[in-house]
Amino acid sequence: MKEKNRLVFFGSKIFVLLIITQTLPRIYAFPNGAPEKVCDTMLPFHGGGILPANSVPPFRIETSSSVVGQGQVLRVYIAGVPNGLQFGGFMIQARQIRPPYEIMGQFNPSESGHSKLMNCGNSVGNSATHSHAGPKAEISLEWQSPIDFEGDVIFNATVAQSYDTFWVGVPSNTVRVVKRDLAPQNYSTPRPRFSPSSRPPYVPAYEQPVTTPMPDDPFYAECETAKICFGIPDGCLEKRDCVNVAAIKVRGNIHEFEILSTAKDAAYVALGLSDDDKMGEDLVTECVPQNGRVAMYSSYTSAPPNGNYGAKRNGVPHTARLVESSFINGVIYCKVERDQTTKVGNRVFDLVNKKYFLLLASGKSLKDAGVGYHDIIKSSSSKAISLAEIQSLSAASPILLRLHGAFMITAWIGTTSLGIILARYFKQTWTGSQLCGKDQWFAWHRICMVCTWSLTMVAFVLIFVEINGWSANQDRHAILGVITTIICFIQPLGALFRPAPNSKNRPIFNWLHWLGGNLAHLLAIVTIFYAVKLPKAELPEWMDWILVAYVAIHVIVHLIYSIAGCVSDRQQTQKVNAFQMGDMSHHGLRNSMKLERKMDAPVSINRFLLGFFTYALETVPNNIICVTVHLRLF
């Protein structure tokens, strides 16, 4: 009986041990922390093909500041959401936010004993992991930034709640490492409280990727939920890739403005509050990099008819204060607090009771007492808004600008080119039929040129309405555009006073008409080339090649028609020599050639296409001379 009881007891112990053995690994896999062979993947070896959870992690990675100086210490926290939610294992490291995503800085040894350091790669202590598998509600670590790095980093962590439930790549907010003398005097600010909802740009390279949301830039985190955001180009807020972006948050009596620009070579970024969507009599907040820092200025703009375009800082009261700023890798950022009311001269800007358009701009130059022309990008909001009302905001419609460009391209690349070809090459051939009592070539030439004149005048008016007057920047596009429009306006007026065909003044008119038309066409094409580089046009750089292709095709068409005319003249000369030997005077020859050439253009072209190649082989030297003569006016 005793033996039987002993066996029962021994069997019960084995059963309990088996239960414990099967249960413990289900809680924590590596009780002494993650091994260094997972430095790149950050993936726990929990066996059984268990993959990381792809849900929003119930843990947050917080930092004591969003800015830290080179070689300074930053405190990093791992905690649950909600507070008190426990976890067992973790691994954390700081990485560059952009490729190659290298591990940055190093952690200091833990005083609590809940963590230990890891040596990933050739660096010492650049990662940290748990030292025991016991439950933890929060982990606090000290991280020292590198002394030779300047830029953005983000903390990535793997947090294990249980053996088969863990999250890989839990992110912190972006932390900027700046030069030590640029770091805030007190960068140990209160810990932010947030619920992470995104993944960092660095995705651990485990075998089967986890489908999780892409990271959000911290600037955009509260857009349309806690602050108004306005970015350009239009639609960039959804993609988180704005060139310029501004955010406005109202906290009691304080209006907080954040402005950021990623524009290349930007000398400033500025946000204006305006009664309309045009520049003039606006209150502007300027963020200007100076000697590695960002300075903030308030200015007041002017515009015709009340003055020249510009922004002046003199006379603007100091009702704004710079709270935070940075200038890293060409990215300008500043946070400004502004009082509710600012009075500039007779103008009162009441941020509480009035609605304003937002004007956002950046440029490459500065003036002595203000910013320069906004030659990088500029746009206004589509409507005036109350700054305390959270809402979505888009850029003003560029429809007038688009119509201006479309009308000018249609006029000078389309109808003008066709009209010139008709007048030059079909004048002697397309005379067999008439339209509205005029030869076909002349009727269509006039239709094309009337279209050119009409489209140009409408486009000229549209751009004046769009910019509300003359351009603030007298660039080449604006100057050449005005000259082209003036010549275009004069051309049809001169045609109204065209002398009779037998008038002695007719050659003078012909030369002036030819000169005006070709000069306007040439200037218009050059003006369109300059338009490609304008920030407002928002055209891709390959648009230049489209224009180059047009010029090449235009020249080739002229060459083809010139060669065709040369061959036709040559054939006419041979016919006269063969059949009209009795009349070899210059006058008789010209009359004979005119009679032969008065046929439809298609007939002439068909004749040329059929006989050109065989005929050209015999008369190459003469054709070269003839083509040169035909191109003398081109």
Side-chain angles (χ1 to χ4, degrees):
M1 186 66 179
K2 292 182 178 180
E3 186 68 23
K4 183 176 180 181
N5 291 337
R6 189 180 298 113
L7 288 174
V8 171
F9 176 74
F10 181 73
S12 300
K13 289 177 64 178
I14 294 177
F15 179 75
V16 171
L17 289 175
L18 286 174
I19 293 297
I20 294 175
T21 303
Q22 293 296 319
T23 303
L24 285 177
R26 301 293 293 180
I27 301 175
Y28 306 114
F30 290 94
N32 297 321
E36 293 180 356
K37 61 183 177 181
V38 300
C39 284
D40 291 331
T41 64
M42 300 182 71
L43 181 67
F45 285 115
H46 285 188
I50 301 175
L51 295 177
N54 59 7
S55 59
V56 175
F59 302 97
R60 61 181 181 267
I61 312 300
E62 301 175 352
T63 59
S64 59
S65 176
S66 60
V67 180
V68 62
Q70 293 174 333
Q72 292 182 336
V73 175
L74 184 76
R75 187 158 291 277
V76 184
Y77 304 90
I78 304 176
V81 180
N83 293 331
L85 181 65
Q86 295 185 340
F87 58 95
F90 73 90
M91 175 183 173
I92 188 170
Q93 53 191 212
R95 288 184 178 267
Q96 287 177 282
I97 199 170
R98 295 180 177 86
Y101 306 121
E102 293 182 359
I103 303 176
M104 308 301 296
Q106 64 181 26
F107 290 90
N108 294 334
S110 172
E111 298 178 357
S112 64
H114 295 313
S115 64
K116 68 176 185 177
L117 305 184
M118 299 173 61
N119 303 327
C120 290
N122 298 322
S123 300
V124 177
N126 59 0
S127 302
T129 186
H130 57 278
S131 59
H132 64 85
K136 311 167 188 65
E138 182 179 274
I139 287 291
S140 176
L141 302 167
E142 285 187 347
W143 177 79
Q144 185 174 6
S145 64
I147 61 174
D148 57 351
F149 171 78
E150 185 179 359
D152 293 342
V153 299
I154 194 169
F155 289 90
N156 295 271
T158 292
V159 183
Q161 191 174 21
S162 63
Y163 177 79
D164 56 0
T165 304
F166 55 90
W167 290 263
V168 176
V170 181
S172 70
N173 278 339
T174 301
V175 175
R176 288 182 175 173
V177 181
V178 300
K179 293 181 180 179
R180 194 180 185 93
D181 58 342
L182 298 180
Q185 294 297 321
N186 180 17
Y187 60 88
S188 296
T189 56
R191 292 166 51 190
R193 292 292 174 180
F194 66 99
S195 298
S197 60
S198 61
R199 291 287 299 278
Y202 168 71
V203 177
Y206 42 78
E207 295 181 359
Q208 298 185 22
V210 178
T211 303
T212 52
M214 292 299 291
D216 287 340
D217 189 305
F219 190 98
Y220 303 93
E222 296 180 330
C223 287
E224 299 184 15
T225 57
K227 60 185 180 182
I228 302 172
C229 290
F230 172 54
I232 50 177
D234 199 24
C236 67
L237 290 175
E238 297 178 358
K239 300 177 182 178
R240 307 299 198 256
D241 61 352
C242 297
V243 176
N244 290 351
V245 59
I248 303 173
K249 180 188 290 186
V250 179
R251 296 187 293 106
N253 296 330
I254 299 298
H255 286 69
E256 184 179 273
F257 295 81
E258 289 182 278
I259 311 173
L260 182 142
S261 176
T262 62
K264 182 180 180 182
D265 300 327
Y268 72 89
V269 58
L271 175 67
L273 301 178
S274 177
D275 290 333
D276 54 27
D277 60 353
K278 309 296 182 185
M279 178 180 175
E281 300 182 344
D282 314 316
L283 179 62
V284 178
T285 302
E286 306 172 2
C287 297
V288 183
Q290 294 179 343
N291 301 322
R293 299 174 180 267
V294 176
M296 185 278 298
Y297 300 96
S298 293
S299 60
Y300 185 72
T301 64
S302 59
N306 299 321
N308 296 325
Y309 284 103
K312 296 183 179 180
R313 298 166 183 165
N314 296 334
V316 181
H318 299 287
T319 57
R321 297 160 297 281
L322 182 63
V323 177
E324 183 180 346
S325 66
S326 65
F327 182 58
I328 302 174
N329 297 330
V331 178
I332 306 172
Y333 170 79
C334 68
K335 181 187 290 186
V336 178
E337 291 182 351
R338 185 173 285 281
D339 293 346
Q340 291 181 342
T341 304
T342 301
K343 185 176 182 181
V344 183
N346 297 325
R347 288 291 309 279
V348 176
F349 291 88
D350 186 347
L351 307 188
V352 177
N353 300 312
K354 291 185 179 181
K355 294 184 177 181
Y356 293 98
F357 285 86
L358 303 184
L359 308 182
L360 190 58
S362 58
K364 298 180 180 179
S365 62
L366 299 172
K367 296 181 179 179
D368 294 336
V371 297
Y373 181 67
H374 40 73
D375 52 357
I376 295 181
I377 194 170
K378 173 256 181 184
S379 185
S380 64
S381 60
S382 59
K383 59 182 179 180
I385 61 168
S386 171
L387 302 186
E389 182 180 347
I390 307 300
Q391 57 189 290
S392 60
L393 197 60
S394 60
S397 172
I399 182 64
L400 296 182
L401 189 68
R402 297 286 184 263
L403 288 175
H404 168 80
F407 286 174
M408 286 299 191
I409 290 176
T410 303
W412 294 102
I413 290 183
T415 57
T416 301
S417 300
L418 181 59
I420 289 175
I421 289 174
L422 289 173
R424 178 167 174 77
Y425 300 108
F426 287 75
K427 189 173 184 178
Q428 298 295 332
T429 59
W430 204 0
T431 57
S433 60
Q434 292 188 336
L435 179 64
C436 299
K438 300 293 183 180
D439 289 340
Q440 288 280 359
W441 76 268
F442 182 77
W444 286 106
H445 168 77
R446 185 166 58 182
I447 291 173
C448 289
M449 292 312 176
V450 168
C451 290
T452 296
W453 190 91
S454 302
L455 290 171
T456 301
M457 296 304 117
V458 172
F460 190 72
V461 172
L462 288 177
I463 200 62
F464 262 78
V465 174
E466 169 67 18
I467 65 176
N468 196 29
W470 293 95
S471 174
N473 185 38
Q474 302 300 323
D475 55 58
R476 296 182 181 92
H477 175 81
I479 295 172
L480 293 178
V482 171
I483 296 174
T484 302
T485 304
I486 292 174
I487 298 174
C488 176
F489 183 81
I490 294 175
Q491 274 292 94
L493 298 181
L496 294 177
F497 300 97
R498 179 175 64 251
N502 56 354
S503 172
K504 63 179 182 179
N505 295 324
R506 183 60 178 261
I508 298 176
F509 166 81
N510 290 341
W511 277 102
L512 291 177
H513 190 69
W514 171 88
L515 179 63
N518 283 275
L519 180 60
H521 190 212
L522 176 62
L523 291 176
I525 299 303
V526 175
T527 304
I528 293 175
F529 268 99
Y530 280 123
V532 176
K533 303 301 182 183
L534 293 177
K536 272 192 172 184
E538 299 180 6
L539 294 174
E541 293 185 359
W542 50 260
M543 187 66 185
D544 279 331
W545 294 107
I546 300 295
L547 295 175
V548 169
Y550 157 75
V551 173
I553 292 172
H554 188 69
V555 171
I556 290 172
V557 169
H558 275 274
L559 286 173
I560 291 175
Y561 277 114
S562 295
I563 294 173
C566 179
V567 172
S568 179
D569 288 349
R570 180 71 174 180
Q571 290 177 343
Q572 295 300 325
T573 302
Q574 288 180 345
K575 288 184 178 181
V576 170
N577 290 335
F579 300 108
Q580 299 182 14
M581 298 298 292
D583 185 4
M584 290 301 295
S585 67
H586 178 70
H587 179 73
L589 180 59
R590 283 182 58 188
N591 290 339
S592 175
M593 291 176 64
K594 286 183 179 179
L595 290 174
E596 289 290 333
R597 293 177 62 188
K598 283 188 177 181
M599 60 183 69
D600 287 342
V603 176
S604 177
I605 296 300
N606 288 336
R607 181 182 64 189
F608 161 68
L609 293 175
L610 290 173
F612 168 69
F613 291 104
T614 56
Y615 180 80
L617 293 175
E618 301 175 355
T619 58
V620 170
N622 290 334
N623 281 341
I624 292 176
I625 296 173
C626 185
V627 168
T628 302
V629 174
H630 271 269
L631 291 176
R632 68 190 183 279
L633 298 181
F634 172 60

